[in-house]
Amino acid sequence: MDNFFNNYLQNYRHMNFETGDFPGPFITISRQAGCSAKRIAIKLSKILTGYSYMSDTKTDADWKWVDKEVFSQVVDEMITEVVEGGYDNEKGDAVKFLKTVDNAFSEETIYDISDQNLILTLKGIICRLACQGRTIIVGRSAGVILKNVPNKLNIRLEAPIDWRINRVMQIKDLTRAEAEKFIVEMDEKRDSFIEKVIGRKAENNDFDVIFNYASLEDDLIVDSIVNILRNMQIIARLNDY
């Protein structure tokens, strides 16, 4: 099991960090509790898909944000490759770890994971999602895991804590004390998980752009992201079509 993902990632045909053979593009969105990364991801996936379909080549043009279904599809593909590809899978440990991370993905319990093999498994799945290209990965430490991979944009959503408390009170119908407790605990869990994944706290330079979610509407954030992607030539400008 210790060598499973080293072997898997070295042999995965779409990824080679040394040569730069790493398809994309992809986007990661990190957020503080109370900031709606999911809404940004959904809107962004629709707009970027529209940009892709303006080109002459319409094959595999859809952008998708990674929800539980997309995550599970990737896990199923990896399980098939593990079983059929002869990778280290004694006693079914590799498959078991893949399924454990898959089950945890849609729950906040994923941030309680401390087993290094499970964390390595998550890294492998995140890398696979990035390799697919035209994916938008929300949370799960994807930004710091993929920090040094090219052809991507790492985004961070932040807001003052008082604003986030008020927003969580409204969304979840909580008292102020309950909302504050929720935010503090969730931020601590996410920060702690990042430390488990990369061995340190997240820093501003782990992200390409940080938005103040309290002062910017969703559409303005999405428009800004699209402009950044165009200027970085991750997506084409309209007049390039």
Side-chain angles (χ1 to χ4, degrees), residues 172-225:
K172 295 183 173 292
D173 193 24
L174 300 176
T175 66
R176 182 173 182 82
E178 290 170 337
E180 183 174 5
K181 182 175 183 291
F182 170 82
I183 286 174
V184 170
E185 289 181 351
M186 188 55 62
D187 283 348
E188 287 178 350
K189 281 184 178 182
R190 289 171 178 167
D191 291 344
S192 175
F193 187 67
I194 287 175
E195 286 194 70
K196 294 175 189 175
V197 170
I198 63 173
R200 61 170 175 79
K201 295 182 182 296
E203 301 172 350
N204 285 349
N205 62 7
D206 289 320
F207 308 101
D208 300 305
V209 58
I210 299 174
F211 292 101
N212 182 351
Y213 197 78
S215 61
L216 297 171
E217 298 289 338
D218 285 2
D219 289 344
L220 183 55
I221 292 175
V222 170
D223 286 346
S224 298
I225 293 170

Side-chain angles (χ1 to χ4, degrees), residues 5 42 67 92 131 135 201 231 240:
F5 265 104
I42 292 172
D67 58 6
C131 284
T135 51
K201 295 182 182 296
N231 289 331
D240 291 338

Side-chain angles (χ1 to χ4, degrees), residues 148-184:
N148 295 320
V149 176
N151 203 23
K152 61 91 174 57
L153 184 67
N154 280 350
I155 298 163
R156 172 78 170 167
L157 304 178
E158 297 184 353
I161 189 165
D162 283 343
W163 184 90
R164 293 190 286 136
I165 289 172
N166 290 330
R167 190 164 191 271
V168 170
M169 286 173 62
Q170 295 175 356
I171 293 174
K172 295 183 173 292
D173 193 24
L174 300 176
T175 66
R176 182 173 182 82
E178 290 170 337
E180 183 174 5
K181 182 175 183 291
F182 170 82
I183 286 174
V184 170

Side-chain angles (χ1 to χ4, degrees), residues 94-105:
V95 171
K96 180 172 67 177
F97 273 80
L98 283 165
K99 289 183 177 179
T100 299
V101 175
D102 183 26
N103 291 334
F105 177 80

Side-chain angles (χ1 to χ4, degrees), residues 21 31 39 57 59 61 64 77 100-101 105 115 126 141-142 149 151 165 168 211 217 230 232 234 237 239-240:
D21 182 15
R31 78 286 194 204
R39 292 193 337 197
T57 303
T59 305
K64 57 192 175 187
E77 291 171 3
T100 299
V101 175
F105 177 80
D115 185 289
I126 294 296
S141 299
V149 176
N151 203 23
I165 289 172
V168 170
F211 292 101
E217 298 289 338
R230 289 203 310 242
M232 293 176 67
I234 290 177
R237 297 174 182 271
N239 56 11
D240 291 338

